Amino acid sequence: MTTWLGLDAGHADPRTADDTAVALYESLLFHAHVVCVHAVEGHHAISFRLTDDPSENTVSTLLERGYGVAVHNGGLQRLAGPDHLTRGALRAALAHRDRREGRALRFPGRRSLRGRHGVSDILAFSAIEEVLPHGIKSVDARGDLQPCFLDGRLVLVCPEP
């Protein structure tokens, strides 16, 4: 089973949303497979792809911290928290589920991508499904690669050479 957890705390700054997403991944939601940040209604929300529903304790902790929470596992949907934040949380969870939008901060294979890698290796050993622009041969992954969902695929967009 796959569950998408959307969280919204109304972060105006994408860097704050990034830092929050990574901190939650490293502490409370470490079992997430993919962690994304989404632009939602003029601010930024966070989503996590999980293998099962978050525990009641996890949801309670997130609510105590002021998040709007959306849990979606294909059919069942749970919304909790302030109304103005649950909308953004649900939009983030659904955008992640549908793979239509979102910048991935954590994804399978990310840790192995340090240094320069050929595009074929990136595609073979990570969740990244496409590298743009087409024709690029290698990627310098010294920094933190942040592919985005585009048209149902996880795509890494590189600067033009």
Side-chain angles (χ1 to χ4, degrees):
M1 179 174 84
T2 301
T3 296
W4 293 269
L5 172 65
L7 302 176
D8 193 349
H11 295 296
D13 175 44
R15 174 72 61 206
T16 304
D18 290 2
D19 293 345
T20 300
V22 170
L24 285 169
Y25 171 74
E26 291 175 347
S27 61
L28 194 61
L29 298 163
F30 51 85
H31 56 289
H33 288 275
V34 180
V35 178
C36 290
V37 171
H38 307 266
V40 176
E41 299 174 3
H43 64 280
H44 302 276
I46 303 164
S47 68
F48 300 83
R49 190 182 85 202
L50 309 168
T51 54
D52 50 25
D53 290 347
S55 70
E56 283 302 315
N57 285 343
T58 297
V59 172
S60 294
T61 298
L62 294 167
L63 291 171
E64 287 168 11
R65 294 181 185 178
Y67 289 98
V69 176
V71 179
H72 184 71
N73 62 16
L76 179 64
Q77 186 172 291
R78 177 180 176 191
L79 301 175
D83 285 342
H84 69 285
L85 296 176
T86 56
R87 266 194 331 270
L90 181 59
R91 285 188 57 188
L94 294 177
H96 193 155
R97 179 200 69 186
D98 297 341
R99 299 168 57 95
R100 69 174 183 264
E101 184 275 327
R103 186 169 40 86
L105 304 178
R106 298 292 182 264
F107 55 91
R110 182 192 68 84
R111 288 185 180 194
S112 65
L113 298 176
R114 296 281 182 229
R116 184 164 284 285
H117 292 276
V119 168
S120 59
D121 288 340
I122 290 171
L123 298 175
F125 299 111
S126 79
I128 295 171
E129 299 167 282
E130 185 175 4
V131 177
L132 296 176
H134 292 287
I136 193 167
K137 300 288 184 227
S138 65
V139 174
D140 186 354
R142 282 181 297 170
D144 197 18
L145 297 181
Q146 296 183 359
C148 296
F149 284 119
L150 295 172
D151 298 324
R153 299 170 59 81
L154 191 58
V155 178
L156 178 64
V157 179
C158 300
E160 293 284 343

